[in-house]
Amino acid sequence: MISRPESRSIPPADLAGLERDLRQLSLRYMRQSMELPLNHNDQAVRAKLYAAANALQQAVREGMVADAIFEIGSNLIGCEQMALLVTCKKQDRVAFSGSSDFNPQQLEAIRRNAKRILEEAPADSIYIKSGPEDRSFLSSLGISARIPFWLDRATKGAIVFFNLLPQRNGLDAGDRELLKLLCAYTGPCLAANKIKHQETMGWVQL
Amino acid sequence: MSDTQYKSQRKTAQQSGQKILLVDDSSTTLLIEEMTLREHTQYELVTARDGEEAVEKAIAEQPNLILMDVVMPRMNGFDACREMRKYEALRKVPIIMVTSRGESFNVEQGFESGCNDYVTKPINGAELVEIVNGYLVAQGQSQ
């Protein structure tokens, strides 16, 4: 189970510090990936982590963090139906945006259940659907994974992954590494970008 | 087998001077493809970010193989593939589609547009090198 990060592992929230942190992380993953032979299981994981850290670093600079998250989901994890939920300062409502294939049923699931989606499983842990036998509430909404993210120790929102692409049978250990990266960096990246609520698809009252 | 032996074995199997055109609007996919092919092969790499640019680069660069995404702005991969096949010099160049969807409908549409093969996203480095080498080593031997 992956829970709220300890203070020493919280990424910096200022733009320059965050960019530097992501650049160093990206270079480290690149080196690790290049040192491993292609037939090593971890090589592909390190390559994806490199690409993801690189995408977040660029996104922070360009103010395109939500797009980068959807890009990582689509191209590195294999999920094109995603939603990003961001709680507002007073914690009484949620702004949400969806990726390209996010559909009306999923939109309705978010509108009706945003509070429970944020709080289930438990709230400060990454939820990954365990398989067809998973009878949890999140699974019943068609959710494959829910990744919480934080800012200043307060839960700031979640990334919701709905259906995976047909060639993905489920999320594996490599995906879990990517989800951990998103869990740690989404909050600070969005904060450094001064989250633009006008770009969201809508609001839900909690 | 050690890392060095593995890489050396893969690289010596390849022909030098062969060129691959990588086409994708996703910076993450392009980054992984470029890093994997630069580190584990000796092919020259050229990139394009959409179908129209891909057609222009293919005509100008005359690559030995094209690795192309399907869903892209301006011109999608299927249309770009059809467009490329109109040119005599590109008619026999292997085109491998990189698709996020492996369902039969998309695969059939890909082959109808003139592509030779496809790989699905997320990109797997070992699979990518294997399929690219499969086409280019055979091409090098027949020349």
Side-chain angles (χ1 to χ4, degrees):
Chain A
M1 184 173 290
I2 302 146
S3 301
R4 190 186 302 255
E6 295 301 318
S7 59
R8 62 177 176 279
S9 64
I10 294 174
D14 65 291
L15 189 56
L18 193 57
E19 263 199 81
R20 192 173 51 246
D21 202 40
L22 283 165
R23 190 168 51 247
Q24 286 168 354
L25 195 64
S26 159
L27 288 172
R28 192 168 79 224
Y29 287 136
M30 183 183 74
R31 275 195 297 272
Q32 290 172 349
S33 164
M34 288 166 78
E35 283 165 5
L36 291 167
L38 270 180
N39 54 0
H40 192 287
N41 284 343
D42 216 25
Q43 192 279 335
V45 179
R46 300 289 127 186
K48 286 178 187 175
L49 286 166
Y50 158 57
N54 192 280
L56 286 174
Q57 186 208 335
Q58 293 217 350
V60 166
R61 194 185 313 143
E62 294 163 6
M64 309 282 280
V65 175
D67 288 345
I69 290 166
F70 295 147
E71 157 110 7
I72 289 166
S74 168
N75 290 287
L76 302 180
I77 295 172
C79 178
E80 295 186 334
Q81 298 177 331
M82 298 170 64
L84 179 65
L85 311 184
V86 184
T87 53
C88 76
K89 275 183 184 170
K90 289 179 184 170
Q91 305 275 321
D92 61 345
R93 58 181 190 159
V94 168
F96 63 90
S97 52
S99 61
S100 57
D101 276 12
F102 185 64
N103 65 38
Q105 288 78 22
Q106 291 157 351
L107 182 66
E108 196 53 26
I110 296 284
R111 280 191 193 281
R112 287 175 180 274
N113 305 289
K115 189 175 170 65
R116 265 191 92 179
I117 290 171
L118 287 169
E119 292 175 354
E120 284 275 332
D124 61 355
S125 301
I126 290 178
Y127 160 80
I128 296 176
K129 184 177 175 174
S130 56
E133 73 283 358
D134 190 330
R135 297 280 180 263
S136 67
F137 172 71
L138 294 178
S139 176
S140 75
L141 296 179
I143 293 172
S144 298
R146 193 257 0 240
I147 292 92
F149 56 86
W150 300 274
L151 189 66
D152 299 331
R153 298 176 182 281
T155 302
K156 192 64 194 161
I159 306 167
V160 181
F161 293 76
F162 285 92
N163 299 317
L164 301 177
L165 289 168
Q167 63 268 27
R168 297 303 316 270
N169 294 321
L171 296 169
D172 56 27
D175 297 312
R176 189 172 276 271
E177 292 297 311
L178 279 166
L179 300 183
K180 281 160 74 175
L181 182 79
L182 289 175
C183 183
Y185 281 92
T186 298
C189 284
L190 286 170
N193 264 200
K194 307 278 185 270
I195 308 165
K196 294 171 184 163
H197 292 312
Q198 66 271 25
E199 290 172 10
T200 61
M201 289 173 71
W203 290 90
V204 181
Q205 205 69 30
L206 293 178
Chain B
M1 188 188 300
S2 74
D3 181 21
T4 314
Q5 285 172 317
Y6 180 84
K7 284 177 186 170
S8 163
Q9 192 183 73
R10 302 303 292 180
K11 285 188 175 181
T12 50
Q14 297 150 13
Q15 303 293 310
S16 59
Q18 287 176 303
K19 196 187 289 182
I20 301 175
L21 172 60
L22 306 173
V23 190
D24 209 305
D25 63 320
S26 156
S27 54
T28 52
T29 301
L30 216 47
L31 197 66
I32 287 188
E33 288 175 353
E34 276 195 273
M35 184 185 69
T36 303
L37 293 170
R38 281 198 203 289
E39 185 60 18
H40 299 279
T41 74
Q42 290 180 329
Y43 304 122
E44 185 185 339
L45 304 177
V46 184
T47 61
R49 300 302 297 262
D50 61 58
E52 275 186 23
E53 191 189 351
V55 175
E56 288 165 16
K57 286 261 176 89
I59 295 165
E61 299 280 346
Q62 301 285 308
N64 299 84
L65 182 142
I66 298 164
L67 195 65
M68 184 156 58
D69 184 24
V70 176
V71 182
M72 293 184 291
R74 299 215 295 170
M75 184 188 285
N76 70 36
F78 296 144
D79 290 342
C81 190
R82 278 188 207 97
E83 196 59 32
M84 286 172 188
R85 293 307 192 204
K86 290 178 185 168
Y87 295 87
E88 180 62 38
L90 298 175
R91 219 158 271 171
K92 289 183 177 172
V93 175
I95 299 178
I96 300 167
M97 291 302 214
V98 181
T99 174
S100 52
R101 297 183 177 274
E103 300 110 313
S104 57
F105 170 74
N106 283 284
V107 174
E108 281 168 24
Q109 208 178 345
F111 287 126
E112 279 169 16
S113 73
C115 85
N116 300 73
D117 219 325
Y118 74 96
V119 291
T120 54
K121 290 184 183 180
I123 288 286
N124 175 293
E127 183 192 4
L128 178 69
V129 169
E130 190 178 328
I131 196 165
V132 162
N133 279 343
Y135 280 96
L136 290 184
V137 171
Q139 197 181 88
Q141 284 165 350
S142 70
Q143 283 169 357

